[in-house]
């Protein structure tokens, strides 16, 4: 997701994903379902959990890592009909849980409140298609340039870019961001798409204003576009591609133009939680090495965004 301090992020850079759209379409047919406010992902720890000792004792004792996530961003995380969190992030979390001997418990929240939830200790981590940016690392509001918190550390685990999409067959001549001048765009609030739209609005000439409609989640933005209330939408490429292939049986939307500014997705961890951060990195590296990561990424049709190792604070 992309909120101003998380990419689904609102940052000066945008996530570009080159996930295979056809593969996403196949994945889509497997994954359409819904999810409750608090859902669990991952198996209970066992004696075979090789990385359990790397976790802080308080988390080992609880056996749970609380995950803040905006669970409305298919195919990265969304809800199935039984109210369970499914998608790329929940699957990766379950695989890491086996390594660490804990459950990853997903708790639903709006994207722009996830970092605040980390600060208030509501969550242990935030895992929500969040783009790793320097602003988020340093606690800087990208709109004002002012420091609003101590920031977070990221464990980067995927790469994605930002795409524009329109109603199918109604592109209105839109192929890139400059074509949006004089048009209306829908975005998720506090995301990189939101930031890009604001930046483009400042460049539009007089008389060709770019109107931006922002929503709490991407599904609301898609609904607005689908109803004809806007000319275009923007979100991370995997999400835009998934919507284009699944919404209305593939008849609602189409992606236009190229992705822009690919950037890493990161798992956000509080600055003081270095032991937890390092344990998460070790677990991610372990599932990359043992092949579980590749299987999950392939399942959801996003192999082009795969990484070969986890990185701490690799965003720019």
């Amino acid at each position: 997701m992309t909120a101003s301090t998380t990419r689904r992020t609102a940052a000066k850079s945008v996530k570009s994903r080159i996930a295979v759209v056809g593969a996403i379409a196949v994945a889509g047919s497997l994954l359409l379902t819904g999810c409750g406010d608090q859902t669990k992902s991952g198996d209970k720890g066992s004696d075979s959990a090789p990385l359990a000792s790397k976790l802080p004792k308080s988390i080992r004792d609880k056996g749970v890592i609380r995950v803040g996530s905006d669970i409305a961003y298919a195919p990265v995380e969304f809800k199935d009909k039984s109210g369970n969190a499914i998608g790329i992030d929940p699957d990766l979390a379950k695989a890491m849980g086996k390594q660490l001997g804990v459950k990853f418990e997903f708790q639903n929240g709006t994207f722009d409140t996830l970092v605040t939830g980390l600060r208030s200790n509501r969550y242990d981590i935030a895992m929500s298609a969040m783009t790793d940016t320097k602003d988020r690392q340093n606690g800087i509001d990208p709109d004002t340039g002012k420091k609003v918190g101590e920031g977070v550390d990221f464990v980067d685990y995927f790469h994605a870019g930002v795409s524009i999409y329109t109603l199918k067959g109604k592109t209105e001549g839109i192929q890139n961001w400059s074509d949006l001048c004089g048009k209306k765009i829908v975005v998720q609030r506090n995301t990189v798409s939101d930031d890009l739209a604001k930046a483009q609005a400042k460049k539009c000439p007089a008389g060709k204003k770019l109107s931006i409609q922002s929503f709490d989640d991407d599904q609301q933005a898609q609904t607005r576009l689908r109803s004809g209330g806007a000319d275009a939408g923007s979100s991370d490429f995997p999400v835009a591609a998934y919507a284009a292939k699944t919404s209305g049986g593939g008849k609602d939307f189409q992606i236009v133009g190229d992705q822009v500014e690919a950037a890493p997705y990161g798992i956000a961890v509080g600055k003081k939680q270095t032991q937890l951060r390092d344990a998460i990195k070790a677990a991610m590296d372990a599932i990359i090495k043992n092949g579980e990561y590749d299987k999950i990424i392939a399942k959801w049709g996003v192999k082009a965004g795969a990484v070969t190792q986890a990185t701490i604070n690799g965003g720019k």
Side-chain angles (χ1 to χ4, degrees):
M1 295 170 189
T2 15
S4 274
T5 316
T6 33
R7 179 206 193 124
R8 228 177 258 172
T9 296
K12 309 282 198 250
S13 62
V14 181
K15 323 176 208 177
S16 303
R17 288 293 175 213
I18 307 172
V20 179
V21 176
I24 288 180
V26 174
S29 66
L30 302 173
L31 314 169
L32 291 177
T33 42
C35 148
D37 277 343
Q38 293 191 345
T39 55
K40 295 180 179 179
S41 180
D43 299 328
K44 265 193 170 179
S46 69
D47 293 339
S48 63
L51 300 178
S53 63
K54 290 185 175 292
L55 285 169
K57 184 176 184 301
S58 59
I59 289 180
R60 290 202 309 271
D61 290 346
K62 288 188 300 183
V64 170
I65 292 177
R66 300 166 299 165
V67 184
S69 188
D70 181 358
I71 313 174
Y73 211 58
V76 187
E77 51 262 316
F78 60 112
K79 302 174 182 180
D80 68 15
K81 294 176 181 177
S82 300
N84 298 311
I86 62 172
I88 299 166
D89 282 352
D91 280 358
L92 291 174
K94 182 175 182 178
M96 288 191 294
K98 295 175 183 177
Q99 296 292 319
L100 295 168
V102 295
K103 296 177 182 178
F104 280 68
E105 184 178 83
F106 278 72
Q107 301 182 10
N108 201 15
T110 57
F111 188 68
D112 56 358
T113 65
L114 298 182
V115 172
T116 302
L118 279 178
R119 289 195 208 112
S120 65
N121 198 36
R122 179 178 179 184
Y123 313 124
D124 299 307
I125 65 173
M127 190 174 187
S128 191
M130 187 176 291
T131 301
D132 175 3
T133 67
K134 288 296 183 185
D135 280 348
R136 286 174 175 161
Q137 292 173 26
N138 297 323
I140 303 297
D141 183 327
D143 290 332
T144 65
K146 295 181 179 179
K147 193 169 180 64
V148 293
E150 66 178 0
V152 296
D153 282 339
F154 286 99
V155 178
D156 300 337
Y157 64 99
F158 191 74
H159 260 80
V162 170
S163 291
I164 299 170
Y165 60 97
T166 67
L167 290 174
K168 195 158 190 176
K170 296 182 179 180
T171 65
E172 303 295 330
I174 299 168
Q175 285 295 317
N176 56 51
W177 285 86
S178 62
D179 294 333
L180 291 168
C181 293
K183 304 289 199 302
K184 297 178 181 179
I185 189 171
V186 291
V187 296
Q188 182 177 354
R189 187 175 292 111
N190 295 324
T191 63
V192 173
S193 291
D194 193 6
D195 286 346
L196 288 175
K198 290 174 181 176
Q200 181 59 48
K202 294 177 182 178
K203 302 175 185 177
C204 291
K208 294 193 69 176
K209 177 183 177 182
L210 169 56
S211 177
I212 304 169
Q213 301 176 33
S214 55
F215 297 85
D216 285 341
D217 63 54
D218 202 67
Q219 292 178 354
Q220 292 173 1
Q222 290 178 22
T223 297
R224 180 65 171 170
L225 178 59
R226 195 181 295 113
S227 70
D231 301 298
S234 177
S235 58
D236 293 355
F237 175 74
V239 177
Y242 186 87
K245 287 298 179 180
T246 61
S247 181
K251 298 178 180 179
D252 289 344
F253 305 127
Q254 69 181 82
I255 291 178
V256 296
D258 298 325
Q259 300 176 57
V260 295
E261 299 186 35
Y265 281 174
I267 300 168
V269 186
K271 284 287 188 184
K272 297 177 182 178
Q273 303 300 320
T274 55
Q275 185 178 357
L276 175 58
R277 178 200 67 193
D278 292 347
I280 295 292
K281 181 185 185 303
M284 186 64 73
D285 280 333
I287 66 172
I288 291 172
K289 184 176 180 179
N290 70 16
E292 288 187 85
Y293 175 92
D294 282 344
K295 290 178 182 178
I296 291 166
I297 296 301
K299 168 187 172 182
W300 292 98
V302 291
K303 291 177 68 175
V307 299
T308 57
Q309 65 179 16
T311 304
I312 292 176
N313 294 334
K316 299 178 180 179

